[in-house]
Amino acid sequence: MPLASPTADHPLVLVGAGKMGSALLAGWLDGGLDPKAVVVVDPSPPRDSASLLAEAGIAAHAVPPPGVEARVVVLAVKPQIMAEALPGLRSVVGRGTTVLSIAAGTTLASLEAGLGPAAIVRSIPNTPAQVGRGITAAVANPRVDAEGKALVDRLLAAVGEVVWVTDEAMIDAVTAVSGSGPAYVFLLTECLADAAVELGLSPAIAARLARATVEGAGELMHRSDLSPAELRRNVTSPGGTTAAALAILMAEDSMAALMKEAVAAARRRSKELSG
Ligand SMILES: NC(=O)c1ccc[n+]([C@@H]2O[C@H](COP(=O)([O-])OP(=O)(O)OC[C@H]3O[C@@H](n4cnc5c(N)ncnc54)[C@H](OP(=O)(O)O)[C@@H]3O)[C@@H](O)[C@H]2O)c1
């Protein structure tokens, strides 16, 4: 990692080494971050994370060790314990520290209230980060300088794509689209498999067909420069089988309307949870 990266003297302090925290840590270590530049704070890391830490020779601390001033603090605990965890982290946050939160529904204002004046980035990753294929949206408070932003961008890029928004209100929309979005795709897969069973296919074959179709279509989209609409048109011959299905899915008040309604409900819930 280039200059101003975490070092043993000014480490990356990861608070919470659960599913998301350890996915990020695995990405950083793969990307060349020195394990000596990492301090983990988690009173009881789950078994998978504990083996990652043991392999890298990183100890897990119940509370931040004394005398540490972090280059970057990554907050990866559940939102409901954030308020309780923040005051204990003030000791590691100095003038040269950037704080990165990945907690859903935890606003910049509440992070500032818990930590005091600090350079803070609030972000929303999604679960494909666990396989290095996530997308994270981030918003920074005015204390974050260009260097802090670049560092956070590099850290988040270790597990996928990164987009920055300037208006924190957009984080609720992001949560509804990419944060919750993987569940919509999993549901689509379930619905396709159920429909296949209705047509007489065995549940095992139906599940394989649906799963491989969604995986393959996702990978095709990933590797292609074409838009999703172009890719869709490419598999749709006029008067053919796909066109017959799409006539139902693309009818008025059908899939597009349902998706808009679903995403609006997720955004409403995100606002309620962070309110
Ligand atoms: N999972 C996702 O897909 C996802 C996506 C986007 C954002 N996020 C955000 O990521 C954050 C972490 O989610 P997760 O799914 O990774 O949760 P998780 O697996 O429960 O990980 C949280 C870890 O923090 C530990 N912890 C509890 N109290 C602590 C404290 N005071 N100090 C340090 N560590 C403490 C937990 O230990 P115990 O289990 O013993 O409590 C656990 O090991 C959440 O804020 C969530 O909103 C998650």
Side-chain angles (χ1 to χ4, degrees):
M1 292 215 164
L3 219 65
S5 288
T7 60
D9 287 341
H10 294 288
L12 181 157
V13 176
L14 173 65
V15 184
K19 285 184 285 298
M20 198 48 93
S22 59
L24 286 164
L25 180 60
W28 300 327
L29 295 173
D30 277 353
L33 179 65
D34 181 357
K36 291 193 187 67
V38 179
V39 170
V40 168
V41 179
D42 189 322
S44 55
R47 193 180 306 160
D48 287 351
S49 313
S51 42
L52 171 72
L53 296 177
E55 264 172 46
I58 299 172
H61 302 265
V63 293
V68 169
E69 185 185 323
R71 176 68 189 92
V72 59
V73 177
V74 180
L75 302 171
V77 294
K78 291 281 189 205
Q80 53 272 29
I81 69 126
M82 193 63 89
E84 164 198 328
L86 290 178
L89 297 169
R90 286 183 178 216
S91 64
V92 299
V93 177
R95 288 168 64 98
T97 307
T98 304
V99 178
L100 166 63
S101 166
I102 64 160
T106 307
T107 60
L108 285 171
S110 65
L111 294 164
E112 285 158 6
L115 287 173
I120 305 176
V121 174
R122 176 184 172 193
S123 70
I124 301 292
N126 65 2
T127 46
Q130 291 169 22
V131 292
R133 290 281 297 276
I135 181 155
T136 304
V139 61
N141 77 358
R143 290 176 194 276
V144 179
D145 60 14
E147 206 182 321
K149 202 170 160 187
L151 173 58
V152 164
D153 195 276
R154 281 205 310 278
L155 292 172
L156 293 173
V159 291
E161 296 182 42
V162 187
V163 294
W164 288 86
V165 296
T166 49
D167 177 3
E168 190 179 3
M170 285 300 114
I171 290 289
D172 293 310
V174 166
T175 304
V177 176
S178 56
S180 302
Y184 315 156
V185 177
F186 300 139
L187 175 64
L188 174 76
T189 316
E190 293 174 67
C191 291
L192 189 56
D194 289 347
V197 170
E198 284 283 305
L199 296 183
L201 290 157
S202 74
I205 288 184
R208 276 184 66 191
L209 290 173
R211 191 179 179 125
T213 300
V214 172
E215 287 172 0
E219 189 60 30
L220 183 61
M221 191 160 56
H222 178 62
R223 294 192 198 183
S224 171
D225 291 332
L226 299 179
S227 69
E230 285 168 312
L231 289 166
R232 169 174 54 74
R233 283 193 286 271
N234 284 352
V235 285
T236 314
S237 328
T241 58
T242 311
L246 291 180
I248 307 288
L249 293 172
M250 295 176 77
E252 212 182 328
D253 291 334
S254 192
M255 198 157 161
L258 205 56
M259 186 59 83
K260 281 182 192 157
E261 208 181 312
V263 167
R267 185 177 67 167
R268 263 197 313 279
R269 187 67 186 135
S270 174
K271 278 188 184 162
E272 284 166 12
L273 291 173
S274 49

